[in-house]
Amino acid sequence: MRLQIAAANWKMNATLEEAKSLLSKLAEFDSSTLPNHHKVIVSVPFPYLMLAKEYLGKKHGFMVAAQNCYNQPKGAFTGEVSALMLSSINVDAVLIGHSERREYFSESNEMLAQKVNIALENELTPVFCCGEPLSIREANTQNEYVAKQLKESLYHLSPEQLMQVVIAYEPIWAIGTGRTASDEQAQEMHAFIRAELAKQYGQELANEISILYGGSVKGSNSIGLFSQPDVDGGLVGGASLNADEFIQIIQSLS
Ligand code: 13P
């Protein structure tokens, strides 16, 4: 049974005090009854990673993630953070290719392929983000657009490597806009992504990959989205900054 995942992406939010408050509320949540196929990933800014491990590291079903890593192993790259550094502090996962990284930091599909590789080499779970801008959705070419992102950043992986990857589909027009994809739009794209993976890697493997939806996921829409057959949870921005709402989202995993 493939994993159903509620993933928080705090983005560039929270002071230390706010981070402590959020993490302690998550730590108080009784996760002991989460079934083994339900997981929670909390992606925090770099300065709070070790703190997040302290609060959540031993918590049943919880994983801590970084929001980025560099595509080179080490060296003279001032200001960057390596996958090795993340694994050396026992971080579990890393977001790769969030649309904000692609847009504001010019991360190409090729660079993201390198980041996926280096994450896997360091035993970090890559949460690979894909998704189209509004203009592409309006031109109804989103399938081709997302297929290219998958092909250029993931299809060099062996089946064993791909099995370690979590995919997050985040239509850019739904991020931070309050304009969520409808349950049907999410399901349609997730089924397309799974079919593309099946073409490349076979249906059996495609059935094992978790595909998360991201873009204005809230406590009020998560049940509808997560109950779609190919939607395996969500990558949550704004709503994950409220512990009670994020816990509600965790509890709506199907
Ligand atoms: P929002 O949930 O704030 O729309 O952000 C989605 C997102 O980008 C998560 O990575």
Side-chain angles (χ1 to χ4, degrees):
M1 184 183 275
R2 62 177 174 258
L3 297 177
Q4 305 293 305
I5 302 170
N9 176 9
W10 291 8
K11 307 191 181 185
M12 197 177 74
N13 289 297
T15 60
L16 177 60
E17 285 316 306
E18 289 163 346
K20 280 184 181 166
S21 157
L22 249 170
L23 289 169
S24 64
K25 285 180 192 155
L26 293 178
E28 279 164 24
F29 164 62
D30 178 8
S31 66
S32 63
T33 55
L34 284 183
N36 284 337
H37 70 288
H38 285 185
K39 300 285 175 212
V40 180
I41 299 179
V42 183
S43 318
V44 304
F46 291 128
Y48 310 140
L49 280 168
M50 290 178 73
L51 192 69
K53 283 301 292 189
E54 271 171 41
Y55 277 91
L56 306 175
K58 295 202 172 66
K59 201 168 173 61
H60 172 73
F62 273 63
M63 295 164 72
V64 169
Q67 299 172 11
N68 181 34
C69 67
Y70 200 47
N71 64 338
Q72 300 297 324
K74 63 188 282 196
F77 302 104
T78 302
E80 290 297 332
V81 172
S82 73
L84 177 62
M85 291 173 190
L86 299 177
S87 69
S88 75
I89 57 166
N90 299 316
V91 165
D92 306 289
V94 58
L95 306 186
I96 304 278
H98 190 281
S99 60
E100 288 147 18
R101 301 289 322 166
R102 294 173 185 265
E103 182 177 354
Y104 306 133
F105 303 95
S106 306
E107 296 195 357
S108 64
N109 289 344
E110 185 191 6
M111 178 189 232
L112 298 176
Q114 295 166 345
K115 291 193 177 195
V116 169
N117 290 347
I118 210 154
L120 288 170
E121 281 162 24
N122 288 282
E123 289 172 13
L124 298 164
T125 298
V127 179
F128 177 77
C129 305
C130 58
E132 80 287 353
L134 183 59
S135 58
I136 295 289
R137 174 61 65 163
E138 284 174 345
N140 199 28
T141 53
Q142 63 273 10
N143 287 4
E144 294 84 340
Y145 188 92
V146 170
K148 188 169 188 286
Q149 291 179 320
L150 298 174
K151 175 171 181 269
E152 294 184 359
S153 299
L154 294 182
Y155 288 179
H156 63 285
L157 298 176
S158 69
E160 294 70 30
Q161 288 174 314
L162 189 82
M163 283 290 288
Q164 310 304 315
V165 176
V166 171
I167 293 177
Y169 167 63
E170 299 203 300
I172 298 170
W173 46 271
I175 295 179
T177 58
R179 183 181 165 190
T180 319
S182 67
D183 298 347
E184 295 72 26
Q185 282 172 320
Q187 167 55 24
E188 197 178 359
M189 178 56 88
H190 284 227
F192 171 75
I193 291 172
R194 202 177 306 287
E196 287 293 296
L197 296 175
K199 272 200 261 170
Q200 189 68 19
Y201 290 95
Q203 191 66 52
E204 205 178 324
L205 191 149
N207 286 344
E208 293 301 313
I209 305 288
S210 301
I211 308 174
L212 316 185
Y213 167 79
S216 300
V217 174
K218 303 184 202 69
S220 56
N221 60 23
S222 52
I223 291 182
L225 287 161
F226 298 175
S227 61
Q228 300 302 309
D230 287 290
V231 177
D232 306 313
L235 179 54
V236 187
S240 74
L241 297 170
N242 177 315
D244 291 334
E245 186 163 11
F246 185 59
I247 288 167
Q248 195 186 340
I249 292 169
I250 297 170
Q251 290 170 326
S252 55
L253 288 172
S254 56

mmCIF file of all heavy atoms in Angstrom, residues 67 125 162:
data_model
loop_
_atom_site.group_PDB
_atom_site.id
_atom_site.type_symbol
_atom_site.label_atom_id
_atom_site.label_comp_id
_atom_site.label_asym_id
_atom_site.label_seq_id
_atom_site.Cartn_x
_atom_site.Cartn_y
_atom_site.Cartn_z
ATOM 1 N N GLN A 67 13.998 22.416 2.737
ATOM 2 C CA GLN A 67 13.221 22.928 1.600
ATOM 3 C C GLN A 67 14.046 22.996 0.324
ATOM 4 O O GLN A 67 13.533 23.360 -0.740
ATOM 5 C CB GLN A 67 12.670 24.315 1.941
ATOM 6 C CG GLN A 67 11.735 24.294 3.135
ATOM 7 C CD GLN A 67 11.343 25.684 3.588
ATOM 8 O OE1 GLN A 67 11.602 26.669 2.911
ATOM 9 N NE2 GLN A 67 10.710 25.762 4.741
ATOM 10 N N THR A 125 14.990 11.503 1.279
ATOM 11 C CA THR A 125 13.844 11.288 0.387
ATOM 12 C C THR A 125 13.598 12.565 -0.404
ATOM 13 O O THR A 125 13.261 13.597 0.187
ATOM 14 C CB THR A 125 12.582 10.959 1.210
ATOM 15 O OG1 THR A 125 12.816 9.755 1.920
ATOM 16 C CG2 THR A 125 11.351 10.817 0.321
ATOM 17 N N LEU A 162 13.791 5.490 -8.255
ATOM 18 C CA LEU A 162 12.504 6.191 -8.360
ATOM 19 C C LEU A 162 11.579 5.829 -7.195
ATOM 20 O O LEU A 162 10.824 6.661 -6.702
ATOM 21 C CB LEU A 162 11.807 5.896 -9.696
ATOM 22 C CG LEU A 162 10.586 6.803 -9.869
ATOM 23 C CD1 LEU A 162 10.992 8.180 -10.390
ATOM 24 C CD2 LEU A 162 9.528 6.190 -10.751
#
